[in-house]
Amino acid sequence: MQQEKLWNANYNKVMFTNFALFFSFYLLMPLLPLYLSENFGATKDTIGVVLSGYTLVALVTRMFSGYIVDSFSRKKVLMLCLFVYFLFFGGYLAAGSLVMFAIFRTLHGAPFGASTVSNSTMAIDVLPESRRNEGIGLYGLSNNLGSAIAPTVGLYIYHTIHDFDLLFWLAFIVAALGFIASWSIKAPANAQVRNKQPLSLNRFFLTRGWFLAINIAFFGFCWGVLSNYLAIYGKEYLGMTDGTGMFFMILSIGLILSRLQGRKSLREGKLLKSAFGGVVLSTVGYVIFIAWPSYVGYYGAAVLIGLGNGHIWPAFQNMIIAIARHDERGTANSTVLTSWDMGLGIGILLGGVVAEHVGYTAAFWMNAGVQVGGCIFFCLVTYRHRFFHKETK
């Protein structure tokens, strides 16, 4: 029997839209602490507060985005979110003070959070049923390519031209291209299912997937600390003035390779196996990052964290989609993304506070401890949950 086509035109457009969304996001992420420090003289804990606002607003927005995506036209919601998202990059160019920048940065989290929920739900809708697990796994490649290329481009511009305005304009243009690509996506008729259930907590948070939400929050915390304070840690403690771009490149190559390698497991429904391998690899990576403060430990951690997260994300997303009904896909996506954001925001905030008062070494030891906690929770709760041993082979 011939398999249904995976790479259809709509799926390709959704992939490019997602790439543009994450490229514009990651282009600035590793450089914003330096921008705030150099341009506004912000302290470490102030940087943590300013940057965490974006993530916390994205978190709150995602809690309601699933409900909106499941209740209204998914394409119209997606296009509105992407339009507002790319416009906000103009605010960075206009901000003349730390307070104004903080306001624009914080509010920018709303369209980003809503766009990620809308676009990932659209991806599920345009995928053929028989290729859904595999397609969701490959969908993340667009995230990974964006997170691989963007920091490298951003850091290259910073080190060679040192022009933050150019970076903000580039992010604006790429985000606008993502909006244009979304214009021609044709959502299938059966995607316009409206959730008619009474208003309840389950419309905003898929309570049946509480254990997945808690687990992914652990991993989001660790990513928040790593992605936001990596550049400063490498510069101050390892003397690496230009190693951050290579770190993200190696990490993203690991993400891409693991997603490609894990296609078969996802297609066969071996979600727990894929997730377990990813959790273990990531845990080892976070531990050696801080326990082995050297070039070997630094880049070795990038490989392991990349390979690990490349298995974790598609497995967790498929697991929560398996728990949800057809008209709860938006809520399922928002649940896992909201949980990631919650961990991410707490990680950015707490990481900045610990770095300011104790040091970056202590912040990254804390990070390793949280990752180990997430690994233990996965083994004791998520891996043993009755739903997956009953429904997932």
Side-chain angles (χ1 to χ4, degrees):
M1 186 177 182
Q2 188 175 8
Q3 281 190 319
E4 294 178 279
K5 186 178 180 181
L6 175 62
W7 297 98
N8 60 69
N10 288 320
Y11 182 63
N12 294 339
K13 292 169 187 174
V14 169
M15 290 279 279
F16 177 78
T17 298
N18 199 51
F19 169 81
L21 186 67
F22 279 84
F23 182 96
S24 56
F25 176 71
Y26 278 100
L27 182 72
L28 303 179
M29 178 177 264
L31 289 164
L32 286 180
L34 295 173
Y35 174 74
L36 295 174
S37 177
E38 293 178 9
N39 286 47
F40 302 116
T43 61
K44 294 171 184 174
D45 50 354
T46 300
I47 291 171
V49 171
V50 172
L51 297 183
S52 64
Y54 181 102
T55 307
L56 292 174
V57 169
L59 181 157
V60 174
T61 305
R62 278 173 170 166
M63 291 175 66
F64 298 96
S65 297
Y67 167 76
I68 294 170
V69 167
D70 286 335
S71 303
F72 301 96
S73 167
R74 287 173 179 168
K75 181 178 177 179
K76 290 179 181 178
V77 171
L78 173 62
M79 291 185 63
L80 175 62
C81 295
L82 290 170
F83 180 73
V84 177
Y85 173 73
F86 90 77
L87 285 183
F88 257 102
F89 284 108
Y92 296 168
L93 292 161
S97 67
L98 179 60
V99 173
M100 285 303 299
F101 185 91
I103 291 171
F104 281 121
R105 181 64 180 173
T106 299
L107 294 177
H108 201 180
F112 176 78
S115 295
T116 52
V117 173
S118 302
N119 203 56
S120 58
T121 307
M122 183 66 74
I124 296 168
D125 288 339
V126 301
L127 281 166
E129 185 79 32
S130 64
R131 309 295 295 275
R132 184 161 293 146
N133 282 357
E134 182 184 3
I136 292 173
L138 291 175
Y139 172 78
L141 287 175
S142 53
N143 302 13
N144 302 152
L145 287 171
S147 62
I149 299 170
T152 306
V153 172
L155 289 160
Y156 176 79
I157 293 173
Y158 171 78
H159 288 299
T160 56
I161 306 174
H162 206 81
D163 187 346
F164 282 104
D165 282 353
L166 177 60
L167 289 166
F168 295 147
W169 273 113
L170 180 58
F172 177 89
I173 292 169
V174 172
L177 290 174
F179 167 73
I180 293 170
S182 70
W183 194 282
S184 58
I185 295 172
K186 295 179 180 177
N190 63 2
Q192 305 304 315
V193 175
R194 302 288 192 269
N195 192 322
K196 301 298 184 182
Q197 297 297 314
L199 202 62
S200 65
L201 176 61
N202 213 47
R203 295 291 303 274
F204 303 100
F205 181 88
L206 198 67
T207 53
R208 297 191 298 281
W210 65 268
F211 55 99
L212 294 171
I214 292 174
N215 216 162
I216 206 71
F218 275 98
F219 306 138
F221 180 102
C222 299
W223 182 251
V225 175
L226 181 74
S227 59
N228 279 270
Y229 303 112
L230 176 72
I232 295 179
Y233 173 78
K235 183 177 180 180
E236 293 188 3
Y237 288 82
L238 300 178
M240 302 175 70
T241 58
D242 58 355
T244 309
M246 182 59 69
F247 182 96
F248 279 112
M249 179 63 76
I250 293 172
L251 185 146
S252 298
I253 290 172
L255 283 166
I256 292 166
L257 291 176
S258 62
R259 284 184 182 270
L260 292 173
Q261 183 272 329
R263 290 178 65 180
K264 187 172 184 291
S265 291
L266 293 176
R267 192 162 57 241
E268 294 173 353
K270 297 177 180 178
L271 305 181
L272 285 171
K273 177 183 176 182
S274 184
F276 178 75
V279 169
V280 171
L281 284 171
S282 294
T283 301
V284 174
Y286 279 108
V287 171
I288 71 165
F289 177 85
I290 189 61
W292 195 356
S294 64
Y295 280 76
V296 176
Y298 187 84
Y299 291 120
V303 174
L304 293 172
I305 294 170
L307 290 172
N309 279 11
H311 285 295
I312 289 172
W313 254 110
F316 270 75
Q317 193 170 12
N318 274 301
M319 283 192 283
I320 202 159
I321 292 298
I323 292 174
R325 298 192 309 267
H326 178 73
D327 60 354
E328 293 177 325
R329 288 173 178 172
T331 303
N333 273 322
S334 70
T335 297
V336 73
L337 291 169
T338 296
S339 303
W340 174 268
D341 277 345
M342 183 176 292
L344 190 77
I346 295 172
I348 294 170
L349 183 61
L350 193 56
V353 172
V354 173
E356 176 70 20
H357 297 286
V358 188
Y360 281 105
T361 299
F364 280 103
W365 271 116
M366 171 189 69
N367 208 36
V370 172
Q371 176 68 26
V372 171
C375 181
I376 293 171
F377 185 90
F378 178 84
C379 294
L380 296 181
V381 181
T382 302
Y383 192 86
R384 297 183 177 185
H385 198 274
R386 60 182 177 80
F387 177 87
F388 298 111
H389 289 285
K390 183 179 179 181
E391 304 290 344
T392 308
K393 303 300 181 186

